[in-house]
Amino acid sequence: MRLSVRFGVVLLGGLLGSLYLFNAYVGRGAARTRGVSARNQARQHAVRAAMQHAWGGYRRFAFGRDELQPLTQTGNDRWGNWSITLLDSLDTLRLMRLAEYDEAKRHVQHVDFGRSPDGFKVNVFEMIIRALGGLLGAYELDGDPMLLRKADECAQTLVRAFGTPTGLNYALMDVNDRGWTGGSRVSLAEAGTMQLEFKQLARLTGKREYWRMAERVSEQLEGGNRTDPGLYPMFVSVETGQYAPLPVYSVGAHADSFYEYLLKQHLLDGTAKYRARYEAATDAIRTRLVGRTRGGLRFVGRLTADGVLVPEMEHLACFYPGLLALGAQALGRPRDLRLAEELALTCVLAYNSTATGLAPEVAYFTDDARVFEPVDPRYLLRPETVESLFVLYRVTGDPKYQDWGWQIFEAIERHARVAHGYAAVRNVLSAEMAANREDAMESFFLAETLKYLYLLFGPDDVLPLDKYVFTTEAHAFRKHT
């Protein structure tokens, strides 16, 4: 299977167009507020209606369960029966001022974080970013002490996974018998994506033990046996704190949000050491993981243990342009903004070049300058590209990012929308939808994809980037400084 990549003059010609805006905006203390055009008001209203449609399906067929299965119109408890879609979506409902928020919030009081189905192994990383992060994000917007109390309850269950010799967390835990499973290895992302949530919880509750736990994890990851400065292997032992031999490097699955949290810990509280680590990592990634296709497209790939850069790009890695843009603005690194715009273009072309207008989960760049192949042709309703478009628009003010986001939203509406929600697409190369959907609507579609699209078309003074830090699950935390 191959996708013909269309190099549109408008897209390529606009690549550098917003760079001149960098100096005008970098380092400003206050967010810019632009008037919202009638067109973007209509776009935002359409995204809000999409959220109502997605939530309506969940409310009708799966309320209180983990996920909606939109094709069979049933619910599942694949995350341990913690009402994950509800918790993850709370702040989106509140942000959009939807009446359904009050009912969802009332249900939070009944979620029991001390139980899950017999024999079920809770994914610690996912529960931190979706459940704990979702509750904290809702509390930031609402202020109801009940939400903070439930966040603390959730955390009290999850901290048991960190009771290891190194302080690194086990990947899975049995909530009911307090046992561990899944072996002694954890991915870089699973261990390195808890700091924002636990540090914010420490600040809001006054419980410094959460802060100390997060710091211990960070220092353990920093002190492991690394051979490539600025880069971190993808797997580490929770027993010894040593990284797996024959390291592979990536900003995709198993690693992505670790690099994200290096910058965002600095932005959250001003800690200088995380700025230094982020800048070292960014420089190393630029040198070792970023490539260019024969057709001139930039990509961020996977570096094998023998030093070969695999010319593929995961949808998950499309968060990276937004991270670069955020760091460029906050730290005064204009070169990073240029790379951010180039990588974002590649991510958008992955959408524009398919029959559905949706991007594959993983794309491989071939020797043909105009072709790349989908290694995994599914579209799982992922948010990473629209996340980057949102950040790039906020940083540069260039409306092309809004236009690109709208094109993606329209493709989602055409091909993923079903009678009662939205469904993942099996093969983005086929516009025939009769048997081309999966019976799944992940919580991140409501928590992230629709939230970022909504914010993309709205005013800059709603959750401004100089006052809030977004977690990897798009929950906005107010900065400490």
Side-chain angles (χ1 to χ4, degrees):
M1 289 183 294
R2 289 192 169 190
L3 294 81
S4 176
V5 180
R6 300 187 296 273
F7 295 90
V9 174
V10 174
L11 288 176
L12 290 174
L15 177 62
L16 304 179
S18 62
L19 283 177
Y20 77 95
L21 292 164
F22 178 86
N23 288 330
Y25 297 123
V26 69
R28 284 193 177 182
R32 292 168 288 116
T33 303
R34 289 179 292 267
V36 179
S37 68
R39 180 176 65 170
N40 282 324
Q41 288 179 24
R43 288 170 167 178
Q44 192 178 60
H45 180 77
V47 175
R48 186 176 186 270
M51 179 65 184
Q52 288 179 302
H53 180 71
W55 184 261
Y58 173 76
R59 181 181 183 274
R60 180 174 178 182
F61 298 107
F63 188 83
R65 304 191 68 183
D66 283 338
E67 287 180 352
L68 168 69
Q69 295 178 200
L71 302 184
T72 54
Q73 298 169 15
T74 57
N76 67 51
D77 296 317
R78 64 185 288 254
W79 297 112
N81 194 23
W82 281 14
S83 302
I84 287 303
T85 290
L86 187 146
L87 298 181
D88 212 5
S89 305
L90 272 177
D91 55 358
T92 306
L93 294 170
R94 175 74 174 183
L95 174 68
M96 295 185 183
R97 297 184 175 87
L98 294 177
E100 294 87 342
Y101 171 74
D102 291 334
E103 179 186 35
K105 178 181 162 183
R106 286 194 296 272
H107 180 79
V108 171
Q109 302 177 70
H110 306 295
V111 179
D112 184 357
F113 296 113
R115 300 292 301 174
S116 61
D118 289 343
F120 186 85
K121 311 303 179 185
V122 168
N123 186 307
V124 176
F125 161 76
E126 297 290 355
M127 295 307 96
I128 290 172
I129 66 173
R130 301 193 197 207
L132 177 56
L135 287 164
L136 290 172
Y139 176 75
E140 292 274 8
L141 299 181
D142 182 305
D144 188 331
M146 180 274 292
L147 295 169
L148 184 59
R149 175 175 58 81
K150 294 299 290 187
D152 195 24
E153 287 181 17
C154 179
Q156 286 297 314
T157 293
L158 295 172
V159 295
R160 300 202 301 266
F162 294 83
T164 66
T166 60
L168 300 176
N169 57 289
Y170 285 106
L172 304 173
M173 64 180 294
D174 188 321
V175 172
N176 300 320
D177 66 12
R178 304 191 179 196
W180 322 114
T181 187
S184 62
R185 190 175 76 163
V186 68
S187 76
L188 182 65
E190 287 172 324
T193 313
M194 49 75 73
Q195 288 78 6
L196 293 188
E197 289 81 0
F198 277 100
K199 287 185 174 182
Q200 194 72 345
L201 183 61
R203 174 175 177 254
L204 295 172
T205 62
K207 296 183 177 182
R208 295 291 295 178
E209 59 267 30
Y210 291 138
W211 186 285
R212 290 191 291 270
M213 184 180 75
E215 278 290 287
R216 184 184 182 194
V217 171
S218 291
E219 294 311 305
Q220 183 65 64
L221 293 173
E222 185 64 22
N225 54 322
R226 296 187 293 122
T227 58
D228 295 277
L231 296 179
Y232 298 76
M234 292 170 62
F235 294 98
V236 61
S237 167
V238 301
E239 302 294 338
T240 68
Q242 297 303 297
Y243 287 103
L246 303 177
V248 175
Y249 301 111
S250 167
V251 297
H254 306 302
D256 47 3
S257 46
F258 166 80
Y259 292 103
E260 179 183 359
Y261 275 28
L262 291 180
L263 174 63
K264 291 184 174 180
Q265 285 186 82
H266 170 68
L267 298 181
L268 185 69
D269 61 27
T271 304
K273 66 182 178 182
Y274 293 112
R275 172 177 180 161
R277 292 173 189 178
Y278 168 77
E279 291 185 320
T282 301
D283 293 341
I285 290 166
R286 175 189 289 275
T287 302
R288 305 289 303 282
L289 271 62
V290 173
R292 189 185 295 274
T293 71
R294 290 179 60 192
L297 292 179
R298 287 290 196 115
F299 66 90
V300 55
R302 174 169 48 87
L303 188 66
T304 66
D306 54 4
V308 175
L309 180 61
V310 179
E312 69 179 26
M313 192 161 178
E314 301 174 44
H315 196 293
L316 284 168
C318 282
F319 88 96
Y320 195 62
L323 184 68
L324 285 173
L326 190 64
Q329 182 185 58
L331 307 182
R333 293 172 58 96
R335 186 177 177 220
D336 292 348
L337 183 60
R338 167 68 178 273
L339 179 58
E341 296 205 301
E342 291 181 306
L343 291 172
L345 176 63
T346 302
C347 293
V348 169
L349 284 172
Y351 279 81
N352 292 352
S353 304
T354 69
T356 57
L358 299 171
E361 182 76 350
V362 184
Y364 183 89
F365 298 94
T366 71
D367 290 335
D368 187 324
R370 298 178 63 82
V371 173
F372 60 89
E373 298 178 351
V375 178
D376 183 343
R378 297 175 300 160
Y379 173 67
L380 303 180
L381 306 173
R382 287 203 184 276
E384 290 80 17
T385 297
V386 295
E387 172 186 355
S388 285
L389 297 180
F390 159 70
V391 176
L392 278 160
Y393 174 68
R394 285 284 182 95
V395 169
T396 69
D398 193 329
K400 74 183 178 189
Y401 296 115
Q402 293 177 313
D403 294 338
W404 293 355
W406 180 247
Q407 292 170 9
I408 292 172
F409 176 72
E410 287 186 310
I412 292 171
E413 287 291 293
R414 284 193 303 270
H415 300 293
R417 185 180 176 117
V418 294
H420 299 285
Y422 291 81
V425 175
R426 295 180 187 276
N427 187 348
V428 297
L429 302 183
S430 174
E432 175 53 55
M433 288 293 115
N436 197 23
R437 296 190 180 99
E438 296 186 356
D439 195 16
M441 185 178 77
E442 288 260 18
S443 69
F444 55 64
F445 178 65
L446 295 82
E448 298 185 73
T449 307
L450 293 178
K451 182 187 293 159
Y452 281 128
L453 284 166
Y454 182 81
L455 290 169
L456 175 63
F457 303 124
D460 292 3
D461 58 356
V462 175
L463 300 180
L465 296 181
D466 64 328
K467 292 183 173 63
Y468 288 87
V469 175
F470 286 85
T471 71
T472 196
E473 195 74 5
H475 303 303
F477 294 172
R478 186 174 289 274
K479 293 182 178 182
H480 301 185
T481 56

